[in-house]
Amino acid sequence: MAVDISDLATLDPRRRRIYYRATHRGTHETDILIGGFVAPRLAGMTDAELDALEAVMDLPDADLADWLSGRRPVPTEVDGPMIRAIIADANDPARQAAIRGVR
């Protein structure tokens, strides 16, 4: 289920905070990639998944942009299921078309 502005009020404070962080990263590219991954999944994430997501979001934007775009490989010390899921989403052809506005 996608989270839109009207749904945010129904989320707990932690999820609202995560949503804001995911969509206000500091660079437009990571706002789109991370925010687009988080929005449809946030309401159903477990506490462990939220912990993993917050750990990914604590990483520097420039590094995240490079890893998510494939410009650089993800270092072993930060590699894990959550960052792999975000990368897979960012590289999904349907998601890329939606980002570019292509139908």
Side-chain angles (χ1 to χ4, degrees):
M1 169 175 153
V3 176
D4 65 29
I5 297 303
S6 64
D7 292 329
L8 290 178
T10 64
L11 296 176
D12 63 83
R14 183 182 187 192
R15 283 179 170 77
R16 285 194 304 266
R17 200 171 38 254
I18 289 170
Y19 180 79
Y20 184 85
R21 283 186 67 199
T23 58
H24 295 81
R25 299 284 314 159
T27 64
H28 186 65
E29 182 178 39
T30 53
D31 286 353
I32 291 170
L33 295 175
I34 295 181
F37 172 82
V38 168
R41 295 167 178 84
L42 186 60
M45 285 184 163
T46 66
D47 285 339
E49 289 170 326
L50 294 174
D51 291 344
L53 177 60
E54 287 178 314
V56 169
M57 291 194 311
D58 286 343
L59 299 167
D61 249 22
D63 290 337
L64 282 172
D66 284 348
W67 301 330
L68 297 176
S69 67
R71 287 187 293 257
R72 290 187 316 156
V74 178
T76 305
E77 63 271 12
V78 297
D79 199 359
M82 183 58 70
I83 199 161
R84 288 286 157 201
I86 297 170
I87 290 169
D89 182 70
N91 289 298
D92 178 70
R95 179 95 154 81
Q96 289 180 353
I99 289 170
R100 288 191 301 271
V102 176
R103 296 195 191 270

